[in-house]
Amino acid sequence: MKILIPLLFVLVACKAPSVEKINPIDKYMNIQTLSAMEARDEYLQLLSQVRSQKGLPDLIVSEFMNEVAQGHTDKMASGELPFSHDGSSERCHTISSELLSGKVCTEIIAKGLNSAEKVLQYWAASKTHLGHLLNPYSTHTGVGVAKDSNGSLYWTQIFIEVN
């Protein structure tokens, strides 16, 4: 009994450490980024299903193209760039140089559509955007998704044909 009382005192007197003290990397994790990445992955799965239904092969998801698309999307969502295709030629040139090839490079953008399903429906409703989604010559893609300060999602998808 004498041993139990001091142990009980230690347990009661100790304060549980905060989560930040247990795992300091938590403060660096951006939940919005994780949500955007999940939205991108869901979107790519939906697009794959649509292309498969049309008898088209899956697009190869290029991490480099994801980074390029994400950079543009981040700049639009932060307000650093307007919602536009400004700089798309440079992005396509950068991608073509990195992949050492590339015939046709196209880009589509959207904002305010806060789910993968909504952005796919939006793009599929446009004849021009649908043409990019279902282009049988496109082989690679990259997608960027970012939230603005109001929580609205911005999207960029880049397509390229690699020889």
Side-chain angles (χ1 to χ4, degrees), residues 48-122:
S48 178
Q49 291 171 5
V50 169
R51 287 181 61 90
S52 178
Q53 290 169 357
K54 300 292 184 183
L56 297 169
D58 281 344
L59 295 167
I60 297 166
V61 179
S62 161
E63 284 307 312
F64 181 75
M65 290 178 68
N66 279 345
E67 290 173 17
V68 172
Q70 190 64 51
H72 181 60
T73 308
D74 287 342
K75 288 177 181 176
M76 288 190 300
S78 71
E80 185 179 335
L81 284 177
F83 176 72
S84 72
H85 293 286
D86 290 353
S88 63
S89 295
E90 290 84 2
R91 285 187 290 283
C92 284
H93 177 74
T94 299
I95 290 167
S96 293
S97 296
E98 176 69 20
L99 298 179
L100 304 175
S101 156
K103 289 185 179 178
V104 177
C105 179
T106 57
E107 173 183 275
I108 55 179
I109 58 175
K111 71 175 180 176
L113 302 163
N114 288 333
S115 75
E117 187 175 352
K118 286 181 182 177
V119 78
L120 184 59
Q121 289 172 349
Y122 173 77

Side-chain angles (χ1 to χ4, degrees), residues 7-16:
L7 182 59
L8 183 59
F9 176 76
V10 169
L11 289 175
V12 172
C14 291
K15 180 180 164 186

Side-chain angles (χ1 to χ4, degrees), residues 38-47 49-50 110 112-125 133 145 153 155:
E38 291 170 356
R40 179 187 68 199
D41 292 345
E42 182 183 349
Y43 168 78
L44 287 167
Q45 289 176 345
L46 292 171
L47 178 59
Q49 291 171 5
V50 169
L113 302 163
N114 288 333
S115 75
E117 187 175 352
K118 286 181 182 177
V119 78
L120 184 59
Q121 289 172 349
Y122 173 77
W123 281 334
L133 297 172
V145 183
L153 289 181
W155 301 78

